[in-house]
Amino acid sequence: MIESKIIRTRIAPSPTGELHIGTLRTLLYDYALAKKNHGQFIFRLEDTDQKRYVPGSEKRLMEVIKDYGLSWDEGPDIGGPYSPYVQTQRLDIYQKYIKELLDKGLAYFCFCTQERLDDLRATQKAQKQIPRYDQHCFHLSKEEIKKNLDNKVPYTIRMVIPKNETIVFEDLIRGKIKFNTNEVDDQVLIKSNGIPTYHFAAVVDDYLMKITHVFRGEEWLTSTPKHLLLYRAFGWEPPQFAHLTVLLNPDGKGKMSKRSGSTHARAFLDDGYLPEAMLNFLMLLGWNPGTEKEFFTLDEFVEAFSINHLHKKSPIFDRKKLDYFNGYYLRQKSDEQLFVLFKKFLPQASKDQIKILVPVLKERIVKLSDLPVQTKFLFENVDYDKELLLKKGTDSKLAIDMLQKTKELINKDFSNLSERILELIKNNNWNVGEFFMVFRVVICGTVFTPPVVECLPALGQEKTLEKINIAILKLTE
Ligand code: GLU
């Protein structure tokens, strides 16, 4: 009986900046497949491109994943049976395997200078050919190679790509995919600094780390034939590949880019999206459960996940949908939980102020970063034009009368304001809408405001009176 394999998936980001939101989606699918099958999910750091290295980003990549409530079973920070999980710490491993390919004649030294490669490229481009290496060094004699090595001529190591073969593989999302090897360049496997390229390191590591399924973006699809040829060269069984769709800009045009706001996973948290809302949104951005259910906890997602329901069509990163999920998850929170979240986004507010604001604002915000905007009037002096006070065509004498009487009421007693102000409006036969249009501007400086009277306790009696005085002054000027 063939023993069924333990499912092992990995996310392998490069420390070249912040974690992209698309990588977080890939990670979710990796995580779900591994967990659903009682397998393992691995974090591997692919830091072979030193030119693009951004110091500190490896730490931030790991931190943000954890801040989203996700974790891995093996990784640079916790180790595991296939340590180390950082590629630049595995250089001796790659040396061993490149030697194997050189010995088998499936890789070769390339001593071409950058200048020669650039010229070659320029000529090929001018002749409207696809730029590729011309295998100059593949044809060097053993003696020439030895001489160059003895003379310490810098070299790269390239892969031998067989001629005119069809490579077929079954992508888990896209089905059968065919490539002709004539389309594949003799890929550099080891760079002149001795460090492997992504292609070589990823294949060796996926094999050694016993990765069974590789989820990655469709931009890697054209690299897959190179990878499959490497597996073949070593005589290794390749993992299964699933090339995920790209996320599209909210307008449906083009790959999601900074044009439509930040694309970093961290930026969404900073913007006050809840991790669980983001994850739920991302789950459905390329996968569906096959049912109408749309709200999923991470555990429910793991339970429901299946590769068969991954989409072929690129999804639009629909921010309205994201706001909808965030609103839903915000309203699932208790006032105690909201207290903590509000405090984070309103660090200048006192505990008492937050306690007042939570019930007033929890239904009205889409994301937590709305809070500083909506409560600006509590912490800053707001300025506005006199005309704004009379926007509804209110007579200025009437507005002054309204404010004088409200001031008296507040001066006397600062409790039960909602009821007492409504009573005041009624007794004076004022128009409710008109009164509040004026009063909102008085307190907040704008016409779009949170429930203004309910916020007054957070503003305090003294500040409220001060704002009314300022408005009266403006109207009498
Ligand atoms: N290091 C690659 C990246 O950051 C990973 C690609 C892969 O998953 O194979 O995009």
Side-chain angles (χ1 to χ4, degrees), residues 25 29 245 282-288 309-311 313 315:
R25 183 191 63 157
Y29 299 160
T245 51
L282 291 173
M283 288 166 195
L284 301 175
L285 218 53
W287 171 86
N288 70 76
H309 283 126
L310 286 171
H311 298 169
K313 194 168 168 271

Side-chain angles (χ1 to χ4, degrees), residues 10 12-14 46 198 215-216 220:
R10 51 57 163 188
S14 300
E46 298 203 327
Y198 153 72
F215 288 123
R216 60 185 177 195
W220 296 108

Side-chain angles (χ1 to χ4, degrees), residues 50-314:
Q50 308 223 301
K51 279 195 216 110
R52 293 177 57 223
Y53 175 62
V54 175
S57 60
E58 63 274 46
K59 201 167 150 246
R60 288 204 301 280
L61 290 172
M62 290 196 262
E63 265 169 16
V64 73
I65 297 170
K66 289 179 186 169
D67 286 347
Y68 271 95
L70 292 153
S71 58
W72 42 89
D73 302 300
E74 297 163 28
D77 53 340
I78 50 171
Y82 305 98
S83 280
Y85 293 87
V86 178
Q87 289 188 324
T88 51
Q89 293 170 18
R90 299 172 63 79
L91 298 182
D92 48 343
I93 300 177
Y94 308 124
Q95 284 306 323
K96 178 181 151 208
Y97 284 98
I98 199 66
K99 193 169 175 312
E100 183 180 329
L101 289 190
L102 286 167
D103 291 347
K104 284 183 175 168
L106 296 172
Y108 60 95
F109 292 101
C110 175
F111 300 97
C112 289
T113 58
Q114 194 55 48
E115 203 185 348
R116 179 176 187 275
L117 295 175
D118 291 345
D119 284 350
L120 180 66
R121 215 183 151 78
T123 316
Q124 288 171 332
K125 273 196 158 169
Q127 293 171 355
K128 303 236 177 319
Q129 292 169 359
I130 300 168
R132 67 176 46 166
Y133 184 57
D134 62 357
Q135 299 195 310
H136 174 82
C137 290
F138 178 64
H139 303 290
L140 294 181
S141 67
K142 273 198 178 129
E143 294 68 40
E144 281 171 304
I145 296 171
K146 187 172 179 311
K147 200 173 107 208
N148 281 337
L149 291 176
D150 288 347
N151 289 336
K152 303 238 174 318
V153 179
Y155 63 80
T156 61
I157 300 177
R158 289 184 184 268
M159 184 180 171
V160 179
I161 304 286
K163 289 274 163 296
N164 204 20
E165 254 193 58
T166 308
I167 302 286
V168 185
F169 76 98
E170 195 71 28
D171 184 272
L172 291 170
I173 298 174
R174 290 148 203 270
K176 209 179 265 324
I177 298 203
K178 281 187 191 170
F179 278 98
N180 188 291
T181 52
N182 288 354
E183 295 160 27
V184 185
D185 203 1
D186 280 12
Q187 179 66 50
V188 172
L189 300 178
I190 302 285
K191 294 179 274 191
S192 56
N193 58 6
I195 294 181
T197 54
Y198 153 72
H199 304 285
F200 189 62
V203 165
V204 170
D205 288 349
D206 282 341
Y207 170 74
L208 292 179
M209 294 177 181
K210 296 196 165 49
I211 300 303
T212 56
H213 295 74
V214 170
F215 288 123
R216 60 185 177 195
E218 70 178 13
E219 67 274 21
W220 296 108
L221 194 57
T222 52
S223 299
T224 308
K226 296 173 193 172
H227 298 181
L228 290 170
L229 286 168
L230 275 173
Y231 281 100
R232 192 172 82 180
F234 282 116
W236 295 337
E237 189 194 334
Q240 290 194 273
F241 291 97
H243 290 89
L244 300 168
T245 51
V246 291
L247 308 181
L248 301 178
N249 276 314
D251 60 5
K253 288 185 194 137
K255 195 174 159 186
M256 194 185 165
S257 59
K258 286 193 194 111
R259 173 160 70 82
S260 53
S262 182
T263 53
H264 297 158
R266 167 67 63 205
F268 289 91
L269 297 182
D270 290 347
D271 205 13
Y273 287 104
L274 297 171
E276 55 271 48
M278 280 303 294
L279 292 186
N280 199 157
F281 172 68
L282 291 173
M283 288 166 195
L284 301 175
L285 218 53
W287 171 86
N288 70 76
T291 65
E292 292 297 302
K293 183 173 161 75
E294 59 177 350
F295 295 113
F296 288 87
T297 62
L298 189 56
D299 287 345
E300 285 167 350
F301 174 59
V302 166
E303 188 60 38
F305 184 75
S306 116
I307 292 178
N308 300 338
H309 283 126
L310 286 171
H311 298 169
K312 288 194 177 80
K313 194 168 168 271
S314 292

